[in-house]
Amino acid sequence: MTLPSDYQNAAADFDRLLEIARDTAGLSTRNQTYTMVQGVFLVFRQRLELADAIRFAQVLPAVARALFIADWDVEAPVRPFADRETMTREVQALRRHHNFAPDTSIADVARALRACCDEAALDRVLATLSPQARAFWAG
């Protein structure tokens, strides 16, 4: 059996995601972009039931999938979706003193994610989620 391309190209795929997110958000460094992407993933993940989050993670590129599920307290209560401004502030609160995520961070990561994954598969999964979850990734 050959190594699936998802895993063969995992680092390059993640680099592409970070590059697109960086350019879209107007950030300067990989570290800034990583924090923004991680923050967006955490804010979204906190609002999903476990089964929904796992289905969503399955359509992410391999390293993004790992980042999405890393350090997850699956016992934490699911948070309700909030308005975009509130969720953006949550993204910006991750490592607050080293976080340069712009007010457009959720939309910026959404654009980058759509450019780096199977968009049809992403849309199929999002169609199974709440309208608020779909709106989160609408960009």
Side-chain angles (χ1 to χ4, degrees), residues 8-125:
Q8 282 184 345
N9 303 319
D13 291 345
F14 191 62
D15 286 344
R16 182 169 177 251
L17 173 68
L18 290 180
E19 181 180 305
I20 294 168
R22 181 199 64 212
D23 293 348
T24 302
L27 295 175
S28 301
T29 70
R30 273 177 68 86
N31 290 341
Q32 292 170 350
T33 308
Y34 176 86
T35 295
M36 177 183 70
V37 170
Q38 183 183 28
V40 169
F41 282 172
L42 290 174
V43 167
F44 184 66
R45 184 183 78 192
Q46 293 169 344
R47 289 167 167 83
L48 296 179
E49 296 292 339
L50 180 61
D52 291 337
I54 295 299
R55 275 197 332 276
F56 175 79
Q58 293 301 316
V59 300
L60 299 176
V63 178
R65 182 170 51 244
L67 180 60
F68 184 80
I69 65 168
D71 301 319
W72 190 355
D73 177 3
V74 296
E75 301 295 324
V78 175
R79 299 179 65 175
F81 279 91
D83 61 81
R84 181 60 61 116
E85 182 178 343
T86 299
M87 292 188 293
T88 298
R89 297 298 163 254
E90 291 176 27
V91 170
Q92 293 168 333
L94 178 66
R95 292 188 287 282
R96 180 173 300 283
H97 299 294
H98 302 283
N99 190 321
F100 296 88
D103 289 346
T104 57
S105 58
I106 295 171
D108 296 338
V109 173
R111 281 188 214 101
L113 186 60
R114 286 189 170 281
C116 295
C117 71
D118 180 338
E119 196 167 359
L122 176 61
D123 286 336
R124 279 192 301 276
V125 168

